[in-house]
C-alpha cells in the first residue's frame, strides 16, 4: 500500500505541475515522439492565467501548492544543474523558503516535549514567531544568563513536518526507480543516489542539534577571522526540535538601501564575503552552503553574521588541493596541468586522453583571459568546467556541485553589492596564500609526516591484516572448488524481494495511469 500511496502522491504532484504551467514552460519543441506528445497534452491542461507568468513564477506557485517538502526538493535540485540543467537550476535557486507561521501554542508544546521542561522555566519571555520556513520557524525570546535577561532567537521544528517529508520521499524514490528502469539514458545521473542524498540531507536538517553543532564548529573555525562570525548556541536550551541561539541585530544583506542608510561600505562587505567563503573552503574544508542574502546580516561595525546553517559543505584535504591547483592553472594558463589534476583526482576516467581534455579546458580558459578582470566570474568558470567534464564521463561529485552552487550564490551577492566587483583580485590574497602554504616545500613536509603516520598505522595492523588475508584465501579456495552457494532461507528471501519490487512497480504505474485518465475524463 505504501507504493500505491506514493503513486497517488506522485500523480497529484505531476498534475499540479501541469496545471501551473511548469511542464508547458519546458523547451518541448526539441522533444520528439511520446515525450513531445505528453508536453503538448500538458499545454492543453495548463491554467490560462498561468500562461501569463514567467517560468520561475509558475514553478514557485506550483511548489507552494505542493507543500514544504517540495520547497526543499526544489532547493536541493538547484544544487544539481547536472540533473535539471542550468536554466532550471537558476529558477529553482530563486524559490523562497517562506511559509505560513504555525500557532505559538504548538511551538511551546514542541519545545517542552523536546527539552522536558516548561517554557516558563527556560525563557523569561517567549514571543510570537518572527519568521517561518518549510522546516521550522523562529521566535524572539529572552533567556536568563548570569542573572541578566538576554535576547535570543528560538528555532522550532514545524509540527508534523517529518511525517510529511518521509511520505513525499516515498514518491521521490518511486519516481527515481521508475526513471532508472524505463529511461536508460538517465542512469548516468544516478537518480536513486540523488534521492538518497536528498533524504540524508533532509534528515540532518530536521535535527536541530546537528545545526547547532555546525554553528559551533564554524564559530570555532572563524573566532579569529576579521569581519565574519556566526551566532553562539545556547546548548542548555537546544534539542532535536528546538535550537536557541544568540539574537543578531543587523541589516539583512538583501536590504541594499538599509545597508547604505547605515553607512556601510558595500564594496568592503562584498570583498569580505568572498574572502570569508574562500577562507572557510580552502583553510577549513567546511563552509556554509546556503549563503543567500536572507541568511546574511551586517552588524553596525560591518561584521557579517551568517545564520541558518542547516546545509553545510565539506571538502577533504585532497579536494581542496585539487580545487586550488585548478584555479591556479587557469590563472597561469597551464591547461595541461589543470587536465592532469582532474585525472590525478580520479574525476575523469583513465580511458580518456589527457591532451584532448586539456584542449577542451583551453576552450574555456582562453576566452576568459581576453576579458577585463571585473567581468570574469569564478562561478561561471566552474559551471563551464563541469559542463566540459560531462563530455569526458566525469561522474557526479556532490561535494563539488554544492561548492559550485554556493560559489554562484556568494558571487551573485557580492556583485549585487558591487556591480564592478573584481572576483580574481579579491580572491588572490586567500587563494594565493593557501597555495603558497600548501603546495610548496611546507606541504611536502606535511604530506611526508602524514605518510609516515599512515605507514605506522598500517604496520600496527599488519598481524590482523595477515590473518584476514589467510581467511579470505581459504574461502576463495573453497568457492573455486565447490562454487558460490546460498542457503535455502537466503534464496527464498531474494526471490520474494525481487517479486515484491516488480509487483510494486507495476501497481504504481497502473495507479498513475488510472489517475491521469480519471483527471482527463473529469475535465473533458
Amino acid at each position: 500500500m505504501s507504493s500505491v500511496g506514493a503513486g497517488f502522491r506522485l500523480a497529484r504532484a505531476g498534475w499540479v505541475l501541469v496545471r501551473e504551467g511548469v511542464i508547458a514552460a519546458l523547451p518541448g519543441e526539441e522533444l520528439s515522439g511520446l515525450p513531445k506528445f505528453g508536453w503538448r497534452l500538458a499545454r492543453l491542461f495548463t491554467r490560462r492565467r498561468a500562461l501569463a507568468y514567467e517560468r520561475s513564477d509558475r514553478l514557485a506557485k506550483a511548489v507552494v501548492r505542493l507543500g514544504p517538502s517540495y520547497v526543499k526538493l526544489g532547493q536541493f535540485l538547484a544544487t544539481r544543474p547536472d540533473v535539471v540543467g542550468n536554466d532550471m537550476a537558476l529558477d529553482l535557486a530563486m524559490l523562497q523558503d517562506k511559509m505560513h507561521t504555525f500557532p505559538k501554542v504548538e511551538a511551546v508544546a514542541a519545545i517542552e516535549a523536546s527539552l522536558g521542561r516548561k517554557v516558563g522555566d527556560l525563557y523569561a519571555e517567549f514571543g510570537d514567531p518572527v519568521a517561518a520556513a518549510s522546516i521550522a520557524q523562529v521566535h524572539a525570546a529572552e533567556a536568563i544568563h548570569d542573572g541578566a535577561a538576554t535576547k535570543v532567537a528560538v528555532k522550532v521544528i514545524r509540527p508534523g513536518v517529518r511525517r510529511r517529508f518521509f511520505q513525499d520521499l516515498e514518491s521521490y524514490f518511486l519516481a527515481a526507480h521508475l526513471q532508472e528502469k524505463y529511461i536508460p539514458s538517465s542512469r548516468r545521473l544516478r537518480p536513486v543516489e540523488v534521492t538518497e542524498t536528498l533524504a540524508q540531507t533532509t534528515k540532518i536538517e530536521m535535527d536541530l542539534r546537528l545545526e547547532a553543532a555546525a554553528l559551533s564548529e564554524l564559530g570555532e573555525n572563524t573566532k579569529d577571522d576579521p569581519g565574519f562570525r556566526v551566532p553562539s548556541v545556547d546548548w542548555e536550551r537546544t534539542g532535536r526540535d528546538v535550537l536557541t541561539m544568540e539574537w543578531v541585530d543587523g541589516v539583512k544583506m538583501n536590504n541594499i538601501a538599509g545597508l547604505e542608510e547605515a553607512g556601510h561600505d558595500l564594496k568592503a562587505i562584498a570583498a569580505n564575503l568572498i574572502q570569508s567563503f574562500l577562507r572557510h573552503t580552502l583553510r577549513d574544508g567546511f563552509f556554509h552552503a546556503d549563503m543567500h542574502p536572507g541568511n546574511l546580516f551586517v552588524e553596525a561595525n560591518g561584521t557579517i553574521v551568517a545564520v541558518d546553517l542547516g546545509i553545510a559543505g565539506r571538502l577533504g584535504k585532497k579536494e581542496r588541493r585539487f580545487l586550488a591547483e585548478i584555479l591556479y592553472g587557469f590563472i597561469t594558463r597551464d591547461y595541461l596541468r589543470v587536465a592532469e589534476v582532474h585525472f590525478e583526482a580520479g574525476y575523469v576516467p583513465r580511458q580518456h586522453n589527457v591532451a584532448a581534455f586539456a584542449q577542451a579546458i583551453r576552450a574555456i580558459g582562453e576566452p576568459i583571459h581576453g576579458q577585463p578582470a571585473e567581468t570574469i566570474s569564478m562561478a561561471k568558470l566552474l559551471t563551464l568546467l563541469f559542463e566540459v567534464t560531462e563530455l569526458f564521463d566525469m561522474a557526479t561529485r556532490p561535494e563539488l556541485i554544492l561548492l559550485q552552487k554556493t560559489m554562484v550564490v556568494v558571487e551573485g551577492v557580492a556583485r549585487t553589492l558591487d556591480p564592478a566587483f573584481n572576483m580574481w583580485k579579491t580572491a588572490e590574497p586567500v587563494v594565493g596564500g593557501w597555495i603558497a602554504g600548501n603546495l610548496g616545500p611546507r606541504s611536502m613536509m606535511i604530506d611526508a609526516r602524514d605518510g609516515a603516520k599512515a605507514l605506522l598505522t598500517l604496520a600496527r595492523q599488519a598481524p590482523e591484516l595477515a590473518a584476514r588475508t589467510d581467511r579470505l584465501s581459504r574461502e576463495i579456495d573453497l568457492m573455486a572448488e565447490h562454487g558460490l552457494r546460498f542457503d535455502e532461507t537466503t534464496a527464498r528471501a531474494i526471490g520474494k524481494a525481487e517479486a515484491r519490487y516488480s509487483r510494486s512497480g507495476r501497481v504504481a504505474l497502473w495507479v498513475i495511469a488510472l489517475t491521469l485518465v480519471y483527471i482527463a475524463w473529469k475535465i473533458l
Side-chain angles (χ1 to χ4, degrees):
M1 290 305 294
S2 177
S3 294
V4 173
F8 272 115
R9 287 190 291 273
L10 194 59
R12 175 184 174 271
W15 176 243
V16 170
L17 292 174
V18 167
R19 290 291 284 164
E20 295 299 336
V22 177
I23 306 298
L26 298 175
E29 295 294 347
E30 301 174 6
L31 301 174
S32 61
L34 190 60
K36 187 165 187 175
F37 172 76
W39 176 73
R40 285 177 172 170
L41 196 63
R43 288 178 64 86
L44 290 176
F45 291 139
T46 299
R47 297 178 190 271
R48 288 186 178 179
R49 65 172 180 267
L51 296 174
Y53 298 129
E54 295 292 332
R55 185 176 64 188
S56 58
D57 295 328
R58 299 182 193 184
L59 191 60
K61 290 179 180 296
V63 166
V64 168
R65 283 187 61 187
L66 290 170
S69 57
Y70 281 86
V71 173
K72 280 298 167 195
L73 174 64
Q75 292 176 332
F76 174 78
L77 290 177
T79 70
R80 301 301 303 270
D82 58 324
V83 175
V84 298
N86 286 324
D87 291 341
M88 183 59 75
L90 289 174
D91 288 342
L92 291 169
M94 295 172 64
L95 288 176
Q96 294 296 309
D97 195 2
K98 294 180 180 178
M99 307 294 290
H100 295 297
T101 60
F102 55 87
K104 177 180 173 181
V105 64
E106 294 184 12
V108 169
I111 293 171
E112 293 179 345
S114 182
L115 299 180
R117 296 167 62 185
K118 293 292 184 182
V119 164
D121 297 333
L122 293 165
Y123 306 102
E125 183 180 335
F126 186 78
D128 293 324
V130 295
S134 57
I135 287 180
Q137 71 181 24
V138 177
H139 294 255
E142 285 188 357
I144 303 299
H145 292 130
D146 299 326
T150 305
K151 192 172 183 180
V152 293
V154 184
K155 188 173 182 178
V156 187
I157 284 288
R158 186 175 288 275
V161 71
R162 290 188 181 90
R163 179 179 56 81
R164 176 66 184 272
F165 263 81
F166 293 143
Q167 284 179 343
D168 286 334
L169 276 172
E170 289 181 353
S171 303
Y172 304 159
F173 274 111
L174 174 60
H177 281 295
L178 293 175
Q179 184 178 351
E180 281 200 356
K181 186 172 183 179
Y182 295 107
I183 310 177
S185 61
S186 71
R187 291 170 189 164
R188 180 185 67 82
L189 301 175
R190 305 175 183 174
V192 173
E193 185 178 314
V194 169
T195 309
E196 288 171 349
T197 304
L198 169 64
Q200 181 63 21
T201 302
T202 304
K203 288 177 183 177
I204 291 173
E205 200 171 351
M206 286 193 291
D207 189 334
L208 296 184
R209 294 169 298 187
L210 299 181
E211 181 178 345
L215 283 168
S216 177
E217 182 177 351
L218 191 58
E220 289 182 5
N221 292 343
T222 60
K223 64 180 183 294
D224 297 324
D225 288 358
F228 184 94
R229 71 181 189 89
V230 293
S232 59
V233 175
D234 183 342
W235 285 101
E236 180 188 352
R237 297 169 177 82
T238 294
R240 189 183 72 147
D241 295 341
V242 56
L243 165 60
T244 303
M245 55 194 151
E246 167 193 1
W247 182 268
V248 177
D249 281 317
V251 182
K252 275 194 177 183
M253 206 171 283
N254 56 6
N255 183 2
I256 303 297
L259 291 173
E260 291 176 338
E261 288 176 9
H264 290 297
D265 184 343
L266 300 189
K267 292 184 178 181
I269 293 173
N272 182 20
L273 178 64
I274 290 294
Q275 290 181 347
S276 296
F277 169 70
L278 290 173
R279 196 177 291 119
H280 306 159
T281 303
L282 293 174
R283 181 193 65 194
D284 309 321
F286 181 68
F287 58 91
H288 193 311
D290 195 17
M291 293 181 74
H292 64 75
N295 284 341
L296 300 170
F297 291 82
V298 181
E299 294 182 309
N301 64 357
T303 298
I304 297 172
V305 185
V307 301
D308 195 2
L309 197 49
I311 305 175
R314 291 189 184 273
L315 288 181
K317 182 178 178 181
K318 184 178 73 172
E319 285 76 21
R320 283 180 271 161
R321 178 175 300 173
F322 289 138
L323 173 64
E325 284 208 65
I326 287 169
L327 294 176
Y328 189 71
F330 273 104
I331 293 171
T332 59
R333 301 173 71 177
D334 189 350
Y335 305 119
L336 181 60
R337 180 56 190 153
V338 175
E340 289 172 348
V341 168
H342 277 79
F343 279 80
E344 289 171 11
Y347 295 162
V348 178
R350 287 285 178 182
Q351 70 264 23
H352 290 289
N353 184 276
V354 178
F357 187 53
Q359 178 185 353
I361 290 175
R362 180 180 291 272
I364 298 173
E366 285 303 299
I368 287 176
H369 283 282
Q371 299 179 24
E374 63 270 15
T375 66
I376 300 174
S377 166
M378 189 182 292
K380 186 176 181 181
L381 170 65
L382 291 177
T383 301
L384 292 172
L385 182 60
F386 291 146
E387 287 178 359
V388 167
T389 52
E390 284 182 19
L391 300 176
F392 289 82
D393 303 316
M394 174 175 164
T396 296
R397 307 288 304 190
E399 72 280 8
L400 297 183
I401 293 294
L402 191 58
L403 171 69
Q404 176 201 2
K405 172 257 184 184
T406 310
M407 180 74 79
V408 169
V409 173
V410 173
E411 189 175 359
V413 175
R415 291 192 187 279
T416 301
L417 297 170
D418 179 11
F421 182 72
N422 187 324
M423 182 69 178
W424 297 98
K425 183 178 179 181
T426 306
E428 196 279 331
V430 178
V431 177
W434 192 89
I435 288 174
N438 292 272
L439 298 183
R442 179 186 170 192
S443 174
M444 294 176 65
M445 293 178 63
I446 293 173
D447 288 345
R449 182 197 64 191
D450 293 343
K453 286 183 180 178
L455 286 173
L456 182 60
T457 302
L458 187 62
R460 289 172 178 169
Q461 295 177 348
E464 183 182 351
L465 290 173
R468 288 182 180 179
T469 303
D470 183 56
R471 287 197 303 270
L472 180 61
S473 177
R474 288 199 300 269
E475 290 174 1
I476 290 174
D477 288 341
L478 288 173
M479 288 171 56
E481 183 178 351
H482 302 292
L484 183 63
R485 296 170 180 248
F486 292 118
D487 60 38
E488 187 177 347
T489 303
T490 302
R492 279 202 303 269
I494 292 173
K496 286 181 179 178
E498 234 356 86
R500 185 166 57 249
Y501 175 77
S502 300
R503 185 167 57 253
S504 64
R506 289 196 299 271
V507 169
L509 284 174
W510 275 107
V511 166
I512 293 171
L514 290 173
T515 303
L516 292 176
V517 168
Y518 173 76
I519 291 171
W521 176 73
K522 290 290 287 183
I523 290 176
L524 298 175

